Amino acid sequence: LQKLIHLLQATDDPLIQEQALITLSNSAAFSVNQDIIRNLDGLSVIGGMLSNCVPKVKEKALNALNNLSMNIKNQEEIQVFITQVCKTVESAPLNSDVQLAGLRLLTNMSVTNDYHQKMINSIPCFLYLLSEGTERTQIQVLKVLVNLSANPAMTRHLLRAQV
């Protein structure tokens, strides 16, 4: 895991980055690896890949963070990327793999009320995706919206959103 994280930092080759992210994502299926990746500063390295201009690399980084977000301690570190993930969801092509990967991560990050405030500005986008997206996109957006709606503090924001 340490070598994969180092490889991500050391290369500019999108194919190598993509493969390293896939491997880290698969490794994150095991809780012990989630802790190891966090302790090796892997979350910030993977999060740094969110600004990559290659859509496949960005998608794989979102998938890896999604798998790593199943751990509360990891969520505490991943939350710094929520605003960037929301912007990625908003700017990605409609129904794209990048958009869906971002929505999946936001779903996991919105299971608790801890980070809902960071998603408020994206509510209009979520509602737009609900009306314009494909069924896959709509289902993923609904998961985020259901999580947000479970928080009474979000009611006003959800009802006042400009669509």
Side-chain angles (χ1 to χ4, degrees):
L1 292 173
Q2 185 175 26
K3 288 183 182 194
L4 280 170
I5 292 167
H6 178 71
L7 181 62
L8 263 182
Q9 292 174 303
T11 186
D12 291 329
D13 185 331
L15 293 174
I16 293 173
Q17 291 171 334
E18 187 179 343
Q19 289 305 310
L21 287 165
I22 289 170
T23 304
L24 286 168
S25 182
N26 291 340
S27 298
F30 303 97
S31 56
V32 67
N33 289 342
Q34 294 172 4
D35 293 333
I36 292 169
I37 292 169
R38 180 185 65 252
N39 292 334
L40 292 171
D41 198 33
L43 297 174
S44 64
V45 173
I46 295 167
M49 296 284 115
L50 295 177
S51 59
N52 196 298
C53 60
V54 179
K56 281 287 183 194
V57 172
K58 192 177 293 194
E59 174 199 350
K60 302 309 181 204
L62 288 164
N63 288 339
L65 289 174
N66 183 46
N67 288 348
L68 289 160
S69 73
M70 302 307 285
N71 175 312
I72 296 296
K73 287 184 180 179
N74 285 354
Q75 281 192 3
E76 292 170 7
E77 290 191 31
I78 292 170
Q79 60 95 13
V80 301
F81 301 110
I82 290 176
T83 302
Q84 186 176 1
V85 172
C86 287
K87 288 178 182 174
T88 298
V89 167
E90 292 177 30
S91 64
L94 183 63
N95 306 313
S96 65
D97 290 336
V98 170
Q99 190 173 65
L100 287 166
L103 288 168
R104 282 191 296 271
L105 175 56
L106 292 175
T107 299
N108 281 350
M109 294 300 293
S110 64
V111 168
T112 66
N113 296 352
D114 297 342
Y115 311 114
H116 287 181
Q117 292 294 324
K118 294 178 178 270
M119 299 180 202
I120 288 174
N121 292 335
S122 294
I123 291 173
C125 172
F126 298 153
L127 295 172
Y128 168 79
L129 294 175
L130 187 59
S131 67
E132 299 299 319
T134 61
E135 186 176 325
R136 282 178 44 187
T137 301
Q138 291 172 336
I139 289 169
Q140 210 55 59
V141 169
L142 280 171
K143 290 177 181 182
V144 175
L145 289 171
V146 164
N147 288 345
L148 295 178
S149 71
N151 180 355
M154 295 299 292
T155 304
R156 179 173 49 97
H157 301 289
L158 289 166
L159 295 176
R160 288 189 179 172
Q162 295 295 315
V163 184

